[in-house]
């Protein structure tokens, strides 16, 4: 069974540009989570999507947004990029219910903002 | 109240020794506590998880000990191996009906050969 996949692996942008990151969950998983992992820091929750709806967002500005498609894949968009947005962006998926909340992570997209 | 405090920040253990990483939380609504292992350049991989209805869970060389009254939980790695050298994160979830994880800050483990 294929795991969570993310693309691209690396992304280099300049300040002020927009970045789009993509995630495909494990087959059968309806929930997708996005986390930011800045260098040397822990994982900070960004967004949670389930059944196509945004269910919760972390303490990040509105220029971080996303969506979930009918096939449960997801996209994270970061507008007006700032230098401090440079980080590893991790996507995780789960079955989306309380009894089965194991989250499985993808390899991440390394975003570098110059 | 949303924080999960993890210690130590780094840990060096001899091969064959026991590695112990501790986490503490405040929010009593948390009801799921996973541990993740992350190698450089990779995404975190789920190691083991526990719910508050049990005090201990063991999978191979990995054991979670859970103390509900103290709001603490810990990961024990028995017979630590150089291949265990990685960063370990604890997490908690279940607050307010959301399933997001609140992660600890991570522990960088190095096992000496």
């Amino acid at each position: 069974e294929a795991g969570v996949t993310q693309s691209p692996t690396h992304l280099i942008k300049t300040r002020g540009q927009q970045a789009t990151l993509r995630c495909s969950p494990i087959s059968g998983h309806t929930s997708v989570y996005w986390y930011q992992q800045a260098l040397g820091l822990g994982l900070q929750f960004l967004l949670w999507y389930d059944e196509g709806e945004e269910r919760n967002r972390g303490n990040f500005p509105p220029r971080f947004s996303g969506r979930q498609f009918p096939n449960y894949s997801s996209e994270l968009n970061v507008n007006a990029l700032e230098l401090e947005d440079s980080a590893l962006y991790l996507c995780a998926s789960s079955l989306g219910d309380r009894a089965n909340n194991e989250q499985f992570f993808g390899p991440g997209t390394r975003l570098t903002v110059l | 109240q949303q924080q999960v405090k993890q210690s130590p920040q780094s840990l060096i253990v001899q091969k064959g020794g026991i590695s112990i990483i501790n986490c503490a939380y405040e929010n009593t609504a948390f009801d799921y506590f996973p541990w993740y292992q992350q190698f450089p350049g990779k995404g975190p991989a789920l190691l083991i998880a526990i719910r508050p209805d049990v005090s201990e869970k063991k999978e191979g060389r990995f054991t979670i000990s859970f103390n509900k009254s103290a709001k603490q939980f810990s990961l024990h790695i028995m017979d630590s191996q150089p291949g265990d050298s990685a960063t370990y994160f604890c997490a908690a979830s279940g607050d307010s009906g959301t399933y997001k994880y609140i992660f600890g800050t991570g522990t960088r483990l190095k096992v000496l050969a």
Side-chain angles (χ1 to χ4, degrees):
Chain A
E1 180 182 297
V4 177
T5 59
Q6 292 186 243
S7 64
T9 303
H10 294 91
L11 190 56
I12 300 175
K13 295 284 186 179
T14 57
R15 198 169 54 181
Q17 286 188 313
Q18 180 200 39
T20 298
L21 290 65
R22 296 179 177 84
C23 171
S24 291
I26 291 171
S27 177
H29 285 188
T30 61
S31 276
V32 170
Y33 308 80
W34 288 94
Y35 294 87
Q36 181 195 64
Q37 186 175 26
L39 190 62
L41 299 179
L43 290 81
Q44 301 295 317
F45 169 73
L46 262 168
L47 290 159
W48 170 33
Y49 292 95
D50 184 62
E51 298 284 358
E53 299 284 333
E54 182 182 302
R55 301 296 184 183
N56 198 248
R57 68 178 293 129
N59 189 25
F60 282 84
R63 56 192 187 82
F64 287 84
S65 66
R67 53 181 171 167
Q68 187 177 34
F69 300 98
N71 67 353
Y72 303 113
S73 67
S74 178
E75 199 173 83
L76 174 68
N77 295 293
V78 188
N79 294 319
L81 284 165
E82 300 180 1
L83 296 178
E84 54 264 34
D85 296 334
S86 294
L88 181 67
Y89 288 84
L90 292 158
C91 169
S93 74
S94 79
L95 288 170
D97 64 79
R98 195 173 193 86
N100 295 286
N101 192 27
E102 292 178 337
Q103 293 184 20
F104 297 89
F105 282 82
T109 292
R110 172 72 63 186
L111 173 64
T112 301
V113 183
L114 303 176
Chain B
Q1 205 181 20
Q2 285 290 325
Q3 281 189 319
V4 176
K5 296 181 180 179
Q6 184 172 347
S7 63
Q9 188 174 5
S10 62
L11 182 60
I12 299 175
V13 174
Q14 293 287 338
K15 179 182 176 182
I18 302 174
S19 303
I20 301 174
I21 305 170
N22 301 298
C23 285
Y25 64 97
E26 288 294 324
N27 192 336
T28 55
F30 290 145
D31 64 0
Y32 181 71
F33 303 89
W35 284 90
Y36 283 82
Q37 178 190 58
Q38 186 178 30
F39 293 104
K42 305 290 185 182
L46 178 65
L47 263 180
I48 187 172
I50 198 167
R51 292 194 182 273
D53 53 346
V54 297
S55 60
E56 186 176 282
K57 183 175 181 180
K58 184 176 181 178
E59 289 184 5
R61 296 186 293 110
F62 301 92
T63 299
I64 299 179
S65 296
F66 188 85
N67 186 328
K68 188 174 181 179
S69 60
K71 292 183 282 187
Q72 296 175 346
F73 58 110
S74 60
L75 175 70
H76 296 232
I77 306 174
M78 313 300 287
D79 187 27
S80 298
Q81 299 297 313
D84 296 331
S85 297
T87 300
Y88 293 80
F89 292 95
C90 64
S93 79
D95 177 44
S96 303
T98 74
Y99 304 148
K100 67 183 181 186
Y101 285 179
I102 305 298
F103 280 90
T105 50
T107 295
R108 185 171 292 182
L109 171 65
K110 185 175 178 65
V111 181
L112 302 177

